[in-house]
Amino acid sequence: MAKLTIDQYLVAAGARLGHLTQTYAIIFFTSIATMFAILAYAPSAGLAARFALATIVVAITVYGVLAAKAAMDDLKAMLDDAVDDFSASRFGAHLRQIPTTLFIRVSVILVLAMGVTQLWAIISA
């Protein structure tokens, strides 16, 4: 199969980077909203309300891990399949030096840590 042209490559990488940015925005803003709900309502909430909050937290965490990891894996694959002209440039060489595997693992761990911390807050409230 033929490699993408430079224009196709840049459009695809830009779109996937946009998806990653949107995913992180969704994760962070919904986590902030659920944290406010947990701090405001969990201490006085009944068991059903706590389960509802916990379900929301689990859904956000699962979405965050799966969607962000998929976008980052795609970006890593795009970097590995970069057009020769792009790979030979200084910018392409610089991008290849970024420890993408480490970044992916740290991002997944941080999203999981946010979810676990919120579940802990629900349980201990």
Side-chain angles (χ1 to χ4, degrees):
M1 181 174 205
K3 286 190 174 187
L4 299 174
T5 65
I6 293 174
D7 292 337
Q8 291 171 329
Y9 177 80
L10 292 175
V11 168
R16 206 58 178 131
L17 188 58
H19 296 156
L20 181 62
T21 304
Q22 291 169 353
T23 299
Y24 279 130
I26 290 167
I27 296 167
F28 292 137
F29 289 122
T30 54
S31 291
I32 290 168
T34 55
M35 205 59 218
F36 279 124
I38 291 166
L39 294 174
Y41 302 112
S44 61
L47 189 60
R50 286 184 186 207
F51 273 120
L53 277 172
T55 303
I56 292 169
V57 169
V58 168
I60 293 166
T61 303
V62 169
Y63 167 76
V65 168
L66 295 178
K69 186 171 180 332
M72 287 187 284
D73 286 342
D74 288 349
L75 287 168
K76 184 177 183 323
M78 286 179 190
L79 183 59
D80 293 339
D81 287 344
V83 179
D84 293 334
D85 291 343
F86 181 75
S87 296
S89 71
R90 280 190 229 155
F91 182 63
H94 175 71
L95 285 178
R96 288 194 179 279
Q97 293 177 357
I98 296 172
T100 52
T101 304
L102 176 66
F103 182 70
I104 291 169
R105 289 180 183 161
V106 168
S107 297
V108 167
I109 289 170
L110 290 175
V111 171
L112 286 172
M114 288 187 329
V116 168
T117 304
Q118 287 186 350
L119 289 175
W120 183 24
I122 292 169
I123 292 167
S124 64

